[in-house]
Amino acid sequence: MHRPLTPDTARDVLAPALRDVRAVVFDTDGVITDSARVHAAAWKTAFDAFLRAHPPDDPDRRRPFDERDDYLRHVDGRSRLDGAAAFLAARGIEASPETVRAVAADKERLFTERLREHGVDAYPGTVRLVQALRAAGVPRAAASASRHAGEVLRRAGVLDLFDVLVDGGEAARLGLAGKPEPDLFLEAVRRLGVPADRAAVVEDALAGVEAGRRGGFALVVGVDRAAGTDTGARLLRHGADIVVHDLGELCAGGAPK
């Protein structure tokens, strides 16, 4: 007969690295849900169209947007405007604010269409970890630079697993600086009532783990779903304390189902 978890026994399910933290902040895209692939595909369509219409002088900089490397380096974890500006600058394009807004708006349209047509799923390992944290009485926040974070979590059926959501709309309303500044994560733990040095951040973006480090969080977990030869090392260099391929790894014995 399966015994229900108590807060004490639920903490035993958590990996040792998480047993002393009093709150956990999760990035959304690529950490909670597989929506990062939808973002990357939308960025590729928008950027490739722009590069065809406005090819850089240097032929090497005309190459198509890479959904893994370019996504991680330039746009993952950042707001749409910051991501568009960063990628165009990396290709040597001196884009006006109007151009940056136009590319970002194109990406926004494409993402919205794909999200509503195909939806997204939550990663099972993440759901198990969040359920274990909830059973242990550890407050949980979702934080994202995307204005669509609430819709994404709702469509994936996991919005109610989090006590707090701070999304791109809230960040804009409050004037929070984008990643790699820690403002978004600090606002999330402020709402949970836990100081950053007693909380953990979980991120898959280079800018995100750097934000966690700058914010003074007790633990910064990097998620390397790309499983590339250097992705994990790059997450560690940018501020992650540990790197996992799936968040189910942070549940000892597999976590509650």
Side-chain angles (χ1 to χ4, degrees):
M1 181 176 178
H2 178 70
R3 292 186 305 166
L5 288 174
T6 67
D8 287 340
T9 58
R11 278 196 177 271
D12 291 339
V13 170
L14 299 174
L18 286 175
R19 289 177 189 167
D20 292 330
V21 300
R22 290 175 48 196
V24 182
V25 181
F26 293 81
D27 177 52
T28 301
D29 302 311
V31 172
I32 302 172
T33 68
D34 66 355
S35 46
R37 63 176 175 81
V38 186
H39 281 290
W43 277 122
K44 179 171 177 60
T45 301
F47 283 136
D48 286 357
F50 182 87
L51 291 171
R52 287 193 299 270
H54 309 279
D57 293 334
D58 182 348
D60 184 58
R61 289 179 167 177
R62 299 173 193 169
R63 66 188 184 281
F65 178 84
D66 186 290
E67 290 178 75
R68 177 180 173 272
D69 191 62
D70 285 326
Y71 181 75
L72 288 173
R73 286 180 182 274
H74 305 301
V75 300
D76 192 18
R78 292 186 166 97
S79 70
R80 282 182 293 112
L81 291 176
D82 289 346
F87 175 76
L88 295 176
R91 293 301 177 91
I93 298 168
E94 296 182 5
S96 67
E98 292 75 16
T99 296
V100 170
R101 284 195 292 269
V103 174
D106 192 25
K107 182 267 174 181
E108 172 80 350
R109 176 184 59 79
L110 291 162
F111 176 80
T112 301
E113 289 175 357
R114 295 176 189 200
L115 174 64
R116 291 175 181 169
E117 182 177 353
H118 302 293
V120 295
D121 295 317
Y123 290 106
T126 302
V127 174
R128 291 197 298 272
L129 176 60
V130 174
Q131 289 173 337
L133 290 167
R134 181 171 65 175
V138 179
R140 302 144 325 276
S144 174
S146 172
R147 294 172 181 264
H148 295 285
E151 181 181 2
V152 166
L153 295 175
R154 187 180 71 253
R155 285 177 173 271
V158 294
L159 182 59
D160 64 345
L161 294 179
F162 297 91
D163 302 298
V164 163
L165 168 64
V166 183
D167 64 6
E170 280 291 276
R173 183 180 69 83
L174 296 172
L176 304 179
K179 302 171 192 175
E181 296 304 319
D183 298 28
L184 193 70
F185 296 149
L186 293 175
E187 175 63 18
V189 289
R190 185 192 69 78
R191 295 184 184 193
L192 292 176
V194 176
D197 63 3
R198 298 299 305 278
V201 163
V202 185
E203 258 282 3
D204 69 324
L206 301 180
V209 293
E210 185 174 341
R213 177 58 55 234
R214 291 187 184 187
F217 282 79
L219 177 69
V220 181
V221 179
V223 182
D224 175 15
R225 298 202 189 276
T229 57
D230 66 343
T231 310
R234 288 162 63 187
L235 287 165
L236 290 168
R237 286 197 301 270
H238 278 76
D241 295 301
I242 58 174
V243 173
V244 297
H245 295 303
D246 184 272
L247 288 174
E249 297 171 38
L250 296 178
C251 295
K257 297 295 191 287

